[in-house]
């Protein structure tokens, strides 16, 4: 599986990647620091799953989410955010995200997410 980890925080990206590789050693992982770069990578690489932060400069997650799905309808987008209020959750699910999970994602949480993808 090919994953794209999108977050403006390098630390957040590395933390998520650590959990991801703990659960799946052979995961192929791309990184983007905003929605615009994520879109570019999605168009050029066979990405299966996108982990998407909401608050980012240049292009935030709310803006990027529908564009990512439009660019690749089969892609699975998991929103990863500190803001897990019901309103934010409904908004991202309406925009096409398959899940909305709270930061940070530890290996246990990642394992459940990966299982839900199968
Ligand atoms: Mg952010």
């Amino acid at each position: 599986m090919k994953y794209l980890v999108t977050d403006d925080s390098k630390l957040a990206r590395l933390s998520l990647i650590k959990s991801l590789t703990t659960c799946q050693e052979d995961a192929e992982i791309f990184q983007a620091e905003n929605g615009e770069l994520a879109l570019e990578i999605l168009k050029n690489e066979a990405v299966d799953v996108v982990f998407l932060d909401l608050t980012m400069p240049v292009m935030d997650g709310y803006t990027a989410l529908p564009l990512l799905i439009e660019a690749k309808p089969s892609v699975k987008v998991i929103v990863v955010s500190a803001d897990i209020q019901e309103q934010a959750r409904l908004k991202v699910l309406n925009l096409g995200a398959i899940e909305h999970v709270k930061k940070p994602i530890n290996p246990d949480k990642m394992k459940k997410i990966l299982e839900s993808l199968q």
Side-chain angles (χ1 to χ4, degrees):
M1 292 270 265
K2 292 190 183 183
Y3 300 89
L4 170 56
V5 177
T6 310
D7 198 305
D8 58 317
S9 157
K10 187 177 180 186
L11 203 66
R13 291 199 305 274
L14 293 181
S15 154
L16 195 151
I17 287 168
K18 197 174 167 195
S19 292
L20 187 51
T21 51
T22 299
C23 296
Q24 195 174 317
E25 276 179 23
D26 62 347
E28 269 191 71
I29 303 167
F30 299 94
Q31 294 185 53
E33 56 191 47
N34 62 60
E36 200 172 281
L37 292 171
L39 203 53
E40 207 168 297
I41 292 170
L42 189 84
K43 286 174 180 170
N44 291 309
E45 307 288 346
V47 173
D48 303 295
V49 179
V50 178
F51 290 97
L52 184 66
D53 179 30
L54 288 177
T55 307
M56 295 181 287
V58 186
M59 185 193 285
D60 69 13
Y62 287 117
T63 307
L65 177 52
L67 297 175
L68 290 165
I69 292 169
E70 189 187 323
K72 190 177 182 194
S74 66
V75 78
K76 290 173 176 165
V77 181
I78 296 159
V79 168
V80 184
S81 174
D83 177 14
I84 54 150
Q85 290 180 50
E86 192 58 19
Q87 210 176 352
R89 179 181 171 77
L90 288 176
K91 189 170 173 184
V92 301
L93 294 179
N94 272 326
L95 288 171
I98 63 161
E99 274 198 69
H100 184 204
V101 296
K102 191 178 184 341
K103 277 183 186 178
I105 301 182
N106 62 27
D108 272 355
K109 208 190 280 185
M110 180 61 79
K111 189 163 177 267
K112 289 189 182 111
I113 292 168
L114 295 182
E115 280 167 4
S116 79
L117 291 175
Q118 287 166 3

